[in-house]
Amino acid sequence: MAINPQVQSLPSYHLIRDSQQMVWVLKGNWLIAVPFGSNVEPVALSLIACTDTDFYSTGKGTPYYLGIKEQNLCLCGTEIQGQPTLQLKEENIMNLYGDVKGQEPFLFFHSKEGSTFAFQSVSCPGWFIATSSMGGQPVTLTKEGGKTERKH
């Protein structure tokens, strides 16, 4: 589904659940994937499309800012010591959306692959948001086709 970034002005909210029923929870400034259960309060992910049309010509999907609902925290793809890393940074998603120039570290290409969705870091091409096969581990970036991590 293509989204016209000029029309969307409010984020949409989504609960993330992977194929093994892992959901995301906030622990400090980390997103952790844990098994869904009655005592678990998963975070809702805020998504809003980037209005900078320069990012739409890549053919990799729609570029989105990803934040945590009701928090001034946004997901950010960056390299730390040469390793692509997923971080939460204190940032208001609507401030990012309001920038005329897209803020690349905060952008993720959103695409559908079969029955799942994938989020690829714009600033770390080929790296996708993923959860570990073990609960209680941080949500990370992984190369496509990682054996122990699942894309979202």
Side-chain angles (χ1 to χ4, degrees):
M1 167 173 84
I3 293 179
N4 180 345
Q6 305 304 324
V7 174
Q8 183 185 11
S9 62
L10 293 173
S12 59
Y13 303 106
H14 305 273
L15 292 176
I16 303 296
R17 189 181 309 198
D18 69 16
S19 62
Q20 293 187 338
Q21 303 305 306
M22 297 273 201
V23 294
W24 296 358
V25 297
L26 192 57
K27 264 195 177 172
N29 276 347
W30 292 98
L31 280 176
I32 307 295
V34 298
F36 182 70
S38 59
N39 295 329
V40 174
E41 290 186 42
V43 297
L45 194 63
S46 303
L47 282 83
I48 193 159
C50 177
T51 58
D52 185 347
T53 56
D54 289 346
F55 292 101
Y56 284 80
S57 62
T58 64
K60 294 182 179 180
T62 302
Y64 280 89
Y65 293 110
L66 307 177
I68 305 300
K69 183 179 180 184
E70 299 175 357
Q71 303 279 330
N72 279 329
L73 294 171
C74 289
L75 283 74
C76 177
T78 187
E79 282 195 25
I80 297 177
Q81 297 178 348
Q83 175 67 32
T85 304
L86 184 68
Q87 295 183 312
L88 280 178
K89 293 224 174 165
E90 200 165 314
E91 190 70 52
N92 182 302
I93 195 169
M94 294 309 293
N95 290 344
L96 292 170
Y97 172 76
D99 283 347
V100 174
K101 180 75 175 137
Q103 301 299 308
E104 192 170 295
F106 293 97
L107 287 172
F108 294 83
F109 288 117
H110 175 254
S111 59
K112 186 169 182 171
E113 297 179 359
S115 63
T116 63
F117 292 93
F119 293 102
Q120 180 181 182
S121 173
V122 170
S123 62
C124 302
W127 290 80
F128 295 82
I129 296 176
T131 55
S132 171
S133 59
M134 295 176 20
Q137 299 298 311
V139 178
T140 62
L141 290 180
T142 187
K143 279 294 226 184
E144 189 172 15
K147 293 181 181 172
T148 60
E149 298 167 319
R150 294 182 298 278
K151 291 187 291 185
H152 292 285

